[in-house]
Amino acid sequence: TSDFDEANQFRFGVALSFLGTENEMAVRALGVTVLPAGLFSKVLQLVFTPPDQPMRVCCNEDKTAFHAATVGPSMISFAPATLSRSDLAAVNKVRKMVSVAVAGEGGG
């Protein structure tokens, strides 16, 4: 459930924290804050997961519906919804775009 009233529950906000490094062409991401809770926020957690974090997905037998993802020590459940293969492909495409935007050509 959302802490926002009905008029504002579909709005969202993202705050990224970056820290400069010795290398002027690199930054370190310190954190991501996403509001409110819901499927959109859960997908954003996948988008902004550091690429070095191991990720596993929980799916049905024919691997067409994805119910949850484990990212490092954290579990992200999509319940009551599921994600499709094309949804996950879109997540990966956005992850690559973010990597390229932050790290430059090639995404790191």
Side-chain angles (χ1 to χ4, degrees), residues 1-13 34-37:
T1 63
S2 175
D3 293 332
F4 294 95
D5 63 29
E6 192 171 325
N8 292 312
Q9 68 184 352
F10 297 105
R11 297 181 183 190
F12 63 92
V34 182
L35 298 171

Side-chain angles (χ1 to χ4, degrees), residues 7 10 16 24 26 36 52-53 71-72 77 81 92-93 95 100 107:
F10 297 105
L16 300 173
E24 67 183 41
D52 61 342
Q53 288 289 315
V71 180
S77 172
N92 285 330
K93 183 177 181 178
R95 283 175 59 89
V100 168

Side-chain angles (χ1 to χ4, degrees), residues 3-4 14 26 30 37 41 52 70 74 88 98:
D3 293 332
F4 294 95
V14 177
L30 295 178
S41 295
D52 61 342
T70 304
S74 302
L88 289 181
V98 169

Side-chain angles (χ1 to χ4, degrees), residues 21-56:
T21 65
E22 302 272 330
N23 179 347
E24 67 183 41
M25 298 300 292
V27 295
R28 179 170 294 155
L30 295 178
V32 177
T33 302
V34 182
L35 298 171
L39 183 59
F40 181 75
S41 295
K42 293 173 184 183
V43 170
L44 283 180
Q45 287 176 7
L46 293 179
V47 168
F48 290 104
T49 296
D52 61 342
Q53 288 289 315
M55 183 182 300
R56 297 179 61 194

